[in-house]
Amino acid sequence: MFKIVSRFSGPSVGHIGESCSLIGSAKFHVANGALCQKSAVKSPATDLPEMPPCDFKPVEYKDLSKERMMEIRRQNCHPMTMKVTYYKKPVFIHQGHMQWLWDVDGKRYLDLFAGVATVSVGHCHPKVTAAAEKQLRRLWHTTNIYVYPTLHEYCEKLASFFPDPLKVVYLTNSGSEANDLAMLMARLHTGNYDIITFRGSYHGGSPQTMGLTSNAAYKYPVANGLGCTNTMCPDVFRGPWGGSHCRDSPVQTIRECGCAQVNAQCHCMANEHYIGQLKETLVTSVPSRIAAFFGEPIQGVGGAVQYPKNYLKEAYRLVRERGGICIADEVQTGFGRTGSHYWGFQGHDVIPDMVTMAKGIANGFPMGAVVTTPEIAASFGKGVHFNTFGGNPVACAIASSVLDTIKEDGAQQISHDVGTYLLTELAKFRDKYEIIGDVRGKGLQIGVEMVKDKVSCSAGLTGGDTRLTRHVYVCAMPIKGMVQERTG
């Protein structure tokens, strides 16, 4: 048994402060900016444990007032910042250290957001900070036109974490940019154009990747992402098929299994039906030859959705039969977050033709990457591709230190241990409270889906029909020392 002494995070929630209650009256900041409140019990709990002590002392805040910051935010920051973060009581963040954040008033929080699942080893981790400072004193910037050690050391190190033949690295500045580049490479290599993604997916917000993204909240009424087709997401909780044996997770759905039995071959009827939907897409919505299939190993923004265990293996086969390549979007699942494996695709027993990543790659420093095969990389040589900031010396130094820190701190094992504990404990809340319809995930990528009732599974919180308004997404930083053996 383990005792949680750190925190977990999610895009549907903000942060937990020293005076906040976890149960009792729970507040949720949802994606459309509304503040929703649901009472899990009639009166606030009075026996909740206090947050663990912290020896770190933040610097006293002496800069802009809250009023002045909000005035600038309204007048000079683009309007989307107000739309996305319209909190009744905004959180004014001043400083961070590992799993902790402090606001301008000196109030301490357990970080429940991690910069949109981006701070992978802790705020201002001493080792990563030291690596950044060392590189800043040596060389801030030069381009990859020239040969400098940090770029090559990092590319070799990153490639060593992948199985053959995934050994060629392209460095970018964000996940959207990485996925945009992957789309181009797939089309050039295959000579085909059409790309398939899941409904509910999020792969970026650029004009091209907006086509991959299948979520109305991120769409604009302009032509975007031509040649992108969405197929049914194999969601075994909310989809038409699913049961209690489908997911690779410590926690299964409360749905009855649709299979006559689960035999030694783990024959899953739900998987069969969802593959049937993909086949239907392939014969009705795209040409006979396609460029690629994009899939997150666990759907992130869409609600930490897990697929039936063998779905991706069968989907990859179907895509490759039609000339397409298979692309794993590891922006959120990568770098040990799922606990059982370093990369999410490994948990599906598949090897993609291309992998994209960002977010936790550099602990919050702007960076992304595409890793692919020498054959696909050679096809990309038909033109000239140049990225001014891709492979920046500071970015490479930080990202290299992140890889070392994940290994030295045992972050992958922490993700497994703490994630398994969280999943099983959250499942107890699901069994107790009608508002919690599902708990799912692996490691420290966990989804808690809110419903009005478990029978209809109708949307909870705002009652809307998008996953953005009804799930709490748990995406914690696996901090060394966050787990202690339970005593007594």
Side-chain angles (χ1 to χ4, degrees):
M1 297 294 292
F2 297 95
K3 174 183 177 184
I4 306 299
V5 296
S6 183
R7 60 7 123 236
F8 56 90
S9 70
S12 292
V13 297
H15 306 84
I16 295 179
E18 291 176 297
S19 61
C20 292
S21 169
L22 277 172
I23 312 177
S25 180
K27 293 183 178 180
F28 300 89
H29 291 284
V30 297
N32 64 7
L35 178 67
C36 299
Q37 185 165 328
K38 283 282 185 180
S39 294
V41 292
K42 291 184 178 179
S43 58
T46 58
D47 59 346
L48 294 176
E50 295 182 358
M51 289 199 301
C54 175
D55 295 332
F56 183 84
K57 302 297 181 185
V59 176
E60 182 182 357
Y61 182 76
K62 297 180 179 179
D63 295 323
L64 293 171
S65 67
K66 295 178 185 178
E67 293 76 17
R68 180 58 182 148
M69 280 191 280
M70 291 306 297
E71 182 181 0
I72 295 171
R73 196 173 183 86
R74 287 188 293 266
Q75 294 179 358
N76 303 116
C77 296
H78 64 83
M80 193 56 66
T81 59
M82 295 297 293
K83 181 177 180 179
V84 175
T85 59
Y86 183 71
Y87 298 110
K88 288 184 177 180
K89 293 183 178 180
V91 180
F92 296 83
I93 299 300
H94 163 48
Q95 191 168 352
H97 176 74
M98 300 306 285
Q99 67 266 44
W100 305 110
L101 288 172
W102 285 263
D103 66 17
V104 297
D105 297 318
K107 183 178 181 179
R108 179 165 60 110
Y109 299 81
L110 284 168
D111 185 358
L112 298 182
F113 202 40
V116 194
T118 299
V119 182
S120 52
V121 295
H123 293 286
C124 304
H125 190 292
K127 180 180 178 67
V128 180
T129 300
E133 291 175 346
K134 180 180 177 181
Q135 186 59 46
L136 282 167
R137 293 190 179 96
R138 182 176 297 168
L139 178 66
W140 282 36
H141 176 71
T142 186
T143 76
N144 52 33
I145 292 174
Y146 307 108
V147 181
Y148 49 95
T150 48
L151 170 67
H152 301 83
E153 289 168 1
Y154 178 67
C155 286
E156 181 184 45
K157 185 183 292 186
L158 179 62
S160 72
F161 283 85
F162 286 91
D164 289 330
L166 295 167
K167 295 298 177 183
V168 182
V169 179
Y170 291 83
L171 297 177
T172 67
N173 306 292
S174 71
S176 292
E177 188 180 339
N179 285 335
D180 201 302
L181 179 61
M183 294 173 72
L184 175 60
M185 294 174 74
R187 286 166 169 163
L188 285 171
H189 177 68
T190 63
N192 304 322
Y193 194 74
D194 288 72
I195 299 174
I196 296 175
T197 62
F198 288 133
R199 294 172 196 160
S201 62
Y202 181 85
H203 297 287
S206 69
Q208 281 297 313
T209 58
M210 201 185 300
L212 297 177
T213 295
S214 174
N215 217 309
Y218 297 100
K219 297 282 193 178
Y220 287 91
V222 296
N224 62 80
L226 300 177
C228 295
T229 299
N230 307 125
T231 193
M232 180 182 285
C233 177
D235 183 345
V236 298
F237 170 68
R238 188 168 290 278
W241 307 286
S244 56
H245 302 284
C246 298
R247 299 192 298 221
D248 178 20
S249 172
V251 177
Q252 300 293 332
T253 71
I254 57 175
R255 297 175 69 168
E256 292 185 6
C257 189
C259 306
Q261 64 179 14
V262 180
N263 56 35
Q265 285 73 41
C266 296
H267 180 73
C268 177
M269 295 298 293
N271 183 60
E272 206 168 84
H273 285 302
Y274 286 118
I275 287 295
Q277 289 295 307
L278 175 58
K279 290 178 178 178
E280 184 77 8
T281 300
L282 288 168
V283 299
T284 63
S285 303
V286 295
S288 59
R289 306 291 288 177
I290 63 173
F293 167 78
F294 259 88
E296 303 162 87
I298 298 175
Q299 200 170 77
V301 172
V305 176
Q306 288 182 281
Y307 325 127
K309 294 173 187 175
N310 293 312
Y311 180 90
L312 283 186
K313 186 179 292 187
E314 180 68 9
Y316 276 27
R317 182 185 67 80
L318 292 171
V319 168
R320 285 167 173 157
E321 284 178 355
R322 287 156 178 81
I325 67 170
C326 300
I327 303 172
D329 183 334
E330 295 273 1
V331 169
Q332 295 195 30
T333 51
F335 301 98
R337 176 164 296 285
T338 63
S340 62
H341 299 86
Y342 204 84
W343 305 109
F345 68 79
Q346 294 170 318
H348 294 272
D349 193 24
V350 296
I351 297 179
D353 304 293
M354 196 180 299
V355 182
T356 60
M357 64 209 75
K359 289 190 181 289
I361 190 173
N363 205 44
F365 196 88
M367 192 177 191
V370 177
V371 179
T372 190
T373 68
E375 183 183 6
I376 295 174
S379 299
F380 193 50
K382 296 173 182 176
V384 176
H385 172 74
F386 174 71
N387 189 316
T388 300
F389 295 104
N392 170 273
V394 179
C396 288
I398 292 172
S400 180
S401 180
V402 167
L403 291 177
D404 294 340
T405 301
I406 290 171
K407 182 178 179 179
E408 292 168 10
D409 286 2
Q412 183 178 332
Q413 187 64 44
I414 292 171
S415 291
H416 176 272
D417 294 342
V418 177
T420 300
Y421 178 84
L422 272 174
L423 279 161
T424 53
E425 293 299 306
L426 287 168
K428 295 176 183 178
F429 287 114
R430 177 202 62 189
D431 297 339
K432 184 176 181 180
Y433 298 107
E434 188 70 12
I435 191 177
I436 301 178
D438 194 32
V439 173
R440 53 183 176 259
K442 283 183 67 178
L444 286 175
Q445 184 161 10
I446 300 170
V448 179
E449 183 151 350
M450 305 301 189
V451 297
K452 288 183 178 179
D453 64 84
K454 287 187 171 75
V455 176
S456 67
C457 290
S458 57
L461 299 183
T462 63
D465 195 33
T466 66
R467 229 174 253 290
L468 289 170
T469 60
R470 66 174 182 244
H471 78 273
V472 178
Y473 184 31
V474 181
C475 207
M477 294 181 279
I479 305 300
K480 186 176 182 181
M482 72 186 295
V483 181
Q484 295 178 346
E485 293 290 340
R486 188 185 297 276
T487 58

